[in-house]
């Protein structure tokens, strides 16, 4: 087993833990935490694939930076959506939000 | 002899960071208090930043600390505070065994497939990562990757503006 597959296994662990969190958590904030775990695993996997193989290193670093930018944008929007949901429905539990009309 | 010591040191640092990631990840998904879960997430982010350092990419590691630990986790903390997801509140209490089973399945099945694929298809190399300086990275961004660079700036602007508009819209209706 090469060093790269250790990094990839850590990334897969983060992905699976994020999936577990998304299904297991009740509140929307907990689900957001799971999504952040998944995005981190994606960045780690991209970096390992570029740094530890003959692929140009710039590709992996650019990819990891793009993933971070996406995560920042996603977190901003999710904060706004969470605020709206909690104002409108008075709670943020995923199973209780079953109507589309506010 | 000295090289061997450095190799042991590198393995110790690698396994230590993996341990930090694993413990932090479990705190993130299992903790009843969302604030504790966020602290677990920050722990995981620090571990991933350490792995970036180990892969000879200190710039990306510092960006990880700056963007994730500095910005994203503060945003999530605001989300926790503003939605009144108080500690021991919504996340406490028993879950049905069906939900727990589904969550475990959602985690274990991809782990089996992806893990076996990652181990089988790994290239048998002991490639040593080389550090590139930030100016090379900047030139790469400005020459080869100019379109994704501009797109992500547009995306960030639209996301920020969208967030502000979403919250202001609600206030006007009142």
């Amino acid at each position: 087993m090469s060093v790269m597959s250790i990094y990839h296994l850590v990334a897969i662990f983060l992905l699976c833990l994020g999936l577990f969190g998304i299904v297991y958590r009740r509140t929307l904030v907990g689900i957001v935490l799971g999504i952040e775990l998944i995005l981190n695993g994606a960045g780690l996997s991209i970096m390992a694939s570029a740094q530890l193989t003959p692929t140009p290193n710039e590709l992996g670093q650019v990819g990891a930076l793009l993933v971070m930018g996406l995560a920042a944008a996603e977190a901003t929007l999710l904060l706004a959506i969470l605020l709206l949901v909690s104002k409108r429905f008075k709670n943020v539990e995923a199973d209780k939000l079953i109507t589309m009309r506010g | 002899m000295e090289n061997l010591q450095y190799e042991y040191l590198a393995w110790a640092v690698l396994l230590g960071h993996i341990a930090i990631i694993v413990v932090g990840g479990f705190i993130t998904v299992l903790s009843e208090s969302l604030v504790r879960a966020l602290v677990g997430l920050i722990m995981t982010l620090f571990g991933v930043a350490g792995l970036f350092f180990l892969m000879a990419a200190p710039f990306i590691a510092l960006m990880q600390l700056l963007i994730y630990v500095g910005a994203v986790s503060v945003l999530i903390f605001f989300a926790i505070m503003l939605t009144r997801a108080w500690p021991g509140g919504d996340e406490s209490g028993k879950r049905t065994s069906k939900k727990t089973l589904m969550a475990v399945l959602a985690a274990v099945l991809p782990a089996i497939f992806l893990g076996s694929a990652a181990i089988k298809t790994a290239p048998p190399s002991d490639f040593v990562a080389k550090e590139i300086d930030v100016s090379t990275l900047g030139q790469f961004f400005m020459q080869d990757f100019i379109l994704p660079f501009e797109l992500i700036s547009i995306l960030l602007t639209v996301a920020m503006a969208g967030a502000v508009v979403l919250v202001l819209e609600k206030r006007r209706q009142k």
Side-chain angles (χ1 to χ4, degrees):
Chain A
M1 198 161 79
S2 62
V3 181
M4 195 187 84
S5 48
I6 294 178
Y7 283 102
H8 275 166
L9 287 181
V10 175
I12 291 170
F13 168 78
L14 283 177
L15 165 71
C16 296
L17 213 57
L19 285 174
F20 177 84
I22 288 177
V23 180
Y24 188 70
R25 283 289 189 196
R26 285 209 190 98
T27 57
L28 294 181
V29 183
I31 294 173
V32 173
L33 291 179
I35 294 173
E36 294 299 332
L37 278 183
I38 291 180
L39 284 172
N40 245 280
L44 184 62
S45 172
I46 291 172
M47 280 290 289
S49 307
Q51 292 287 103
L52 303 176
T53 56
T55 320
N57 285 356
E58 294 93 337
L59 272 178
Q61 307 209 356
V62 165
L65 276 180
L66 289 182
V67 169
M68 282 180 206
L70 281 178
E74 168 253 336
T76 325
L77 268 183
L78 279 178
L79 173 63
I81 293 172
L82 276 175
L83 262 182
L84 271 189
V85 166
S86 77
K87 267 185 197 165
R88 220 172 260 194
F89 297 95
K90 302 293 179 217
N91 71 30
V92 284
E93 288 190 42
D95 292 337
K96 289 183 182 165
L97 304 173
I98 49 173
T99 170
M100 289 285 279
R101 290 190 306 141
Chain B
M1 188 61 200
E2 211 164 78
N3 277 340
L4 203 65
Q5 275 181 353
Y6 277 125
E7 198 178 331
Y8 281 136
L9 199 62
W11 275 105
V13 173
L14 175 67
L15 294 180
H17 278 110
I18 290 176
I20 290 177
I21 290 176
V22 169
V23 173
F26 275 113
I27 294 175
T28 308
V29 294
L30 292 178
S31 167
E32 279 192 358
S33 151
L34 280 174
V35 180
R36 277 177 204 275
L38 179 62
V39 174
L41 179 72
I42 293 174
M43 194 172 157
T44 312
L45 298 177
F46 268 109
V48 173
L51 288 190
F52 285 163
F53 267 116
L54 266 183
M55 276 188 280
F59 177 66
I60 306 296
L62 290 176
M63 282 302 113
Q64 162 101 359
L65 291 183
L66 194 74
I67 297 176
Y68 268 113
V69 182
V72 172
S73 52
V74 172
L75 273 179
I76 297 176
F77 190 68
F78 268 113
I80 292 176
M81 283 195 307
L82 293 172
T83 56
R84 288 176 296 252
W86 57 92
D90 298 333
E91 290 288 345
S92 60
K94 288 275 179 197
R95 286 162 175 77
T96 56
S97 57
K98 188 186 164 199
K99 190 168 185 179
T100 310
L101 179 72
M102 270 161 55
V104 171
L105 273 185
V108 169
L109 289 182
I112 292 171
F113 290 124
L114 292 176
S116 59
I119 291 174
K120 267 182 199 160
T121 61
S125 73
D126 285 326
F127 194 81
V128 178
K130 274 203 266 326
E131 186 180 338
I132 58 169
D133 49 356
V134 183
S135 60
T136 318
L137 194 63
Q139 279 176 359
F140 194 73
F141 250 131
M142 276 301 148
Q143 285 162 4
D144 299 359
F145 263 65
I146 187 77
L147 183 64
F149 183 69
E150 294 298 332
L151 282 181
I152 197 118
S153 25
I154 292 175
L155 179 83
L156 273 170
T157 316
V158 170
M160 304 287 165
V164 172
V165 168
L166 265 180
V167 179
L168 283 187
E169 187 77 11
K170 176 73 182 169
R171 194 170 292 166
R172 203 186 302 143
Q173 279 174 5
K174 271 185 178 174

